[in-house]
Amino acid sequence: MSNIVLQTNANLSSSLKRTSHIAVSILVLILTAFVSILFPPELAFAQPAANLEAASFDPHEQVGHNHSEASSAEEGITVQQVLFFAVRAIYYFAFMLAAGFMLWSVSFAEDASDISRKLVNKWGIYILRGLLLAVLVFVFVHVSYLLKGYEGSSSSEWVRLLTETSTGRSWLAIIALSLLGFVVLKLSDPFKIIWALLLAAAESYNGHVNALTNNTLAIVLDFVHTASSALWAGGLMLLLLFWRADRKEAGRFAERFTKAAWLSVLLLAVSGALMTVLLLPSWRYLYYTSWGLMLLAKTALVLFIACTGFLLHRRAKQGKLPNGKLLKLDGLLMSIVLIIASIFTYISPVPDTEPLTYHRMGENLHYTINITPNGPGPNRVEVKIWLPEQLGAPTSVRMLLWAVDHPQRPAIEVPLLGDSGEDFLSFPGFIETDYESDKIVLPTRGAWTAELFITDQTGTETKQIIPFHND
C-alpha cells in the first residue's frame, strides 16, 4: 500500500514538474508581450510605415541586389515560383512542428515505460531530421533566387550574403540551431525550452519588421508571434500524430493542449494586431493589397480554428476522446494558415505605388505638386509656387482633392501650411513659396483630380486642375 502511495506521489510530483515547465514557457511569452506593449512607443513609431516604399520589404533590396522582377511579373506565375513557395510552406511546417515539439515534449513523463514518452522519443529524431533538411533546402533555394541574374553569384557572394546581411545571419543561426537540436534532444527539459525559444528568436530577425527603421518593438512582437504559433501549430500537429498512433494518448494530450492553445491564440492575436499597426500606414491597406487580403483570410481561419478548438476542449474536459472529424478539420485549417503565412510573409504589405511629381510652367505662374507615397491612406502633400517678383508671394493657396470614381463624395480639403522647403528650381524674375501638409488620407484607389486655387496680392485667383492616379 505504501509503495502505491509513494508511486502516486512520485507521478504527481513529476506531473507538476512537467506542468511547471510549460507554465514557465508561457510565462516567458506573456512577459515578453507585456514588455512589447510597455516599450517606449516613440522608438517604435519614429519612422512611420507610410514613409516606407514597397521596395523596403523586397528581399532583393534587403540584401543589396537591386534587379527588377518586372519581366517575371509579366509572365505570371511560373513553375519555378510555385516550387519556391512550396519550399517555403514545407519549411514553415517543419519549423513549427520542431519548435512546438520541443516545447511540448517537456510535458511528458520521463519514465521509459510511458507510452507517450516512447512515441515522443521515436518522433523527435525524425522531426529534427525533417527540420534540418527543410532548412537547408529553404536557404539554398532562397539564396539562389536572390542571386538569380546577379553577376556576382559566386561562392564569395554566397558568403557575403549569409554573413553580411541580417537575413543571411538569421538563416545561419537557424541552420546552427537545427544541427544543435540533435544534441538538445538528449538533454534535460529546460534546454529544450531554451532551444525552441532561440529558434523562434532567430526566425524573428527574418521578416517584414526588419524594414522598419526602429524595429526593436516589432522584432519582440514577431518573436512572441512566432513562439506562440509554434506552441499552437506544433501542439496540434503532435495531437494529430498521437491520434494516428494511440487514441488514448491523444485524449490525454488533448486536455493539456487545448488549455494552452487558448492562451497561444490570444498571444497570436495581440502580437499580430500590434505588428499590423506598425507595418501598415492605414487599415485600408488590408483590402487594397494581396498581403492585407491574405491577413484577413488568415484571421478568419484562426477564428474558425478557435471555434473548433472550443469544441475539442469541451470534449477533453468531459474526459472524452477528441472528435476525429473536428481534429482533422482543425489540422486542415491549420495547414491552410501555415501555407498562407509562408506566402504573405514574403510579399510586401505596402502597395507598390509611385509618388506623384507634377510640374507646370506658365508665363506668370510655375508650380510643382508632390504627393508621397501617393497611395490609399495617409499621404504627404508638398506644393511649390513661383509668382513674378512684382506680385510677391500668394495671399492664399487652397487645394481640393476629388475622387473621380466616386463623384458623390465631398472634396478633401488639404490644409496647406507654409514651409521653408529646399531650393527646387530657380527661375529669374520669380519668387518661390513652399507649402506642405501631412497625413492627407486618400480613402480609395483609382483616378483623382487635384484642384489648386492660387490668389495673388492683386486679388486675382487662378485655378489649376491636375489629374492623377494613386494606384
Side-chain angles (χ1 to χ4, degrees):
M1 182 68 178
S2 61
N3 290 337
I4 296 176
V5 172
L6 288 174
Q7 182 66 34
T8 302
N9 290 336
N11 291 338
L12 179 60
S13 176
S14 177
S15 177
L16 290 174
K17 183 179 179 182
R18 296 193 304 271
T19 303
S20 68
H21 286 314
I22 291 292
V24 168
S25 301
I26 295 175
L27 181 60
V28 168
L29 294 178
I30 294 175
L31 290 175
T32 308
F34 275 114
V35 169
S36 303
I37 295 172
L38 296 175
F39 207 90
E42 62 272 13
L43 295 180
F45 295 96
Q47 173 76 42
N51 292 338
L52 296 176
E53 299 178 359
S56 303
F57 300 96
D58 184 357
H60 297 275
E61 295 284 346
Q62 293 172 17
V63 297
H65 296 159
N66 186 13
H67 58 82
S68 174
E69 294 288 318
S71 58
S72 61
E74 291 175 359
E75 295 174 1
I77 299 176
T78 64
V79 174
Q80 185 181 15
Q81 289 173 328
V82 172
L83 293 175
F84 177 81
F85 285 106
V87 168
R88 287 185 63 85
I90 293 171
Y91 165 74
Y92 267 74
F93 273 94
F95 180 93
M96 294 299 173
L97 178 57
F101 170 82
M102 282 293 193
L103 289 173
W104 281 107
S105 64
V106 303
S107 67
F108 302 106
E110 296 182 4
D111 186 357
S113 63
D114 186 79
I115 298 176
S116 59
R117 173 58 72 170
K118 288 181 178 179
L119 290 172
V120 167
N121 290 337
K122 175 184 176 182
W123 293 333
I125 190 68
Y126 296 113
I127 290 173
L128 289 177
R129 287 174 182 173
L131 173 65
L132 180 59
L133 180 60
V135 168
L136 292 175
V137 174
F138 172 83
V139 173
F140 176 81
V141 169
H142 276 66
V143 173
S144 300
Y145 188 66
L146 289 174
L147 295 178
K148 180 182 177 182
Y150 185 70
E151 294 180 358
S153 55
S154 62
S155 57
S156 61
E157 186 62 19
W158 274 64
V159 173
R160 190 193 73 80
L161 191 153
L162 291 173
T163 58
E164 297 181 13
T165 66
S166 60
T167 299
R169 288 192 289 267
S170 170
W171 289 341
L172 287 178
I174 293 173
I175 292 174
L177 286 168
S178 299
L179 291 169
L180 192 60
F182 295 97
V183 177
V184 173
L185 192 62
K186 299 179 180 180
L187 299 179
S188 58
D189 290 345
F191 288 98
K192 295 177 182 178
I193 295 176
I194 293 171
W195 180 89
L197 295 180
L198 285 176
L199 193 66
E203 177 64 22
S204 301
Y205 281 88
N206 185 24
H208 288 322
V209 294
N210 283 282
L212 299 173
T213 302
N214 294 291
N215 54 18
T216 303
L217 171 62
I219 289 176
V220 172
L221 289 171
D222 199 5
F223 163 72
V224 174
H225 197 77
T226 303
S228 300
S229 299
L231 191 65
W232 165 69
L236 181 56
M237 285 188 271
L238 200 56
L239 179 58
L240 287 167
L241 288 174
F242 273 123
W243 179 257
R244 292 183 60 86
D246 192 306
R247 298 294 168 88
K248 290 184 179 180
E249 293 302 321
R252 296 189 185 99
F253 179 65
E255 186 173 1
R256 275 174 285 178
F257 168 71
T258 53
K259 289 178 181 178
W262 283 106
L263 183 56
S264 63
V265 169
L266 176 62
L267 288 172
L268 275 171
V270 173
S271 58
L274 290 175
M275 279 196 296
T276 302
V277 171
L278 290 176
L279 285 171
L280 297 186
S282 170
W283 61 268
R284 293 178 175 84
Y285 282 20
L286 288 175
Y287 55 88
Y288 282 139
T289 63
S290 299
W291 188 91
L293 293 175
M294 287 186 180
L295 179 60
L296 291 176
K298 179 171 172 274
T299 303
L301 288 171
V302 170
L303 290 176
F304 198 2
I305 290 171
C307 294
T308 58
F310 170 76
L311 297 176
L312 288 171
H313 179 63
R314 189 170 65 176
R315 288 183 63 88
K317 284 188 67 176
Q318 295 172 351
K320 299 178 181 178
L321 290 176
N323 182 285
K325 291 182 179 179
L326 274 180
L327 191 56
K328 292 176 183 177
L329 176 61
D330 226 15
L332 176 62
L333 294 175
M334 181 268 297
S335 300
I336 297 174
V337 167
L338 290 180
I339 291 172
I340 292 175
S342 69
I343 297 173
F344 98 127
T345 51
Y346 188 79
I347 63 177
S348 170
V350 178
D352 190 7
T353 58
E354 184 176 348
L356 171 69
T357 298
Y358 184 89
H359 184 69
R360 181 77 178 269
M361 300 283 289
E363 292 184 2
N364 297 311
L365 170 66
H366 311 323
Y367 65 90
T368 297
I369 295 176
N370 296 320
I371 300 180
T372 307
N374 191 29
N379 290 264
R380 177 181 175 84
V381 178
E382 297 176 329
V383 178
K384 298 177 181 291
I385 295 172
W386 291 265
L387 288 178
E389 291 180 349
Q390 61 270 26
L391 291 178
T395 57
S396 70
V397 176
R398 294 177 58 239
M399 177 182 280
L400 299 177
L401 300 177
W402 296 88
V404 175
D405 300 328
H406 303 276
Q408 75 282 3
R409 290 185 178 177
I412 298 174
E413 178 85 30
V414 179
L416 294 173
L417 303 175
D419 181 33
S420 59
E422 297 180 0
D423 291 339
F424 182 69
L425 291 173
S426 178
F427 299 104
F430 283 79
I431 295 178
E432 177 184 341
T433 310
D434 301 327
Y435 303 88
E436 58 88 23
S437 185
D438 279 328
K439 298 181 180 179
I440 302 303
V441 176
L442 301 181
T444 59
R445 302 178 68 175
W448 286 80
T449 297
E451 292 183 349
L452 187 63
F453 301 89
I454 304 168
T455 304
D456 60 29
Q457 294 186 9
T458 65
T460 303
E461 183 181 76
T462 302
K463 178 182 177 180
Q464 300 290 323
I465 297 178
I466 303 97
F468 69 97
H469 281 76
N470 71 330
D471 55 2

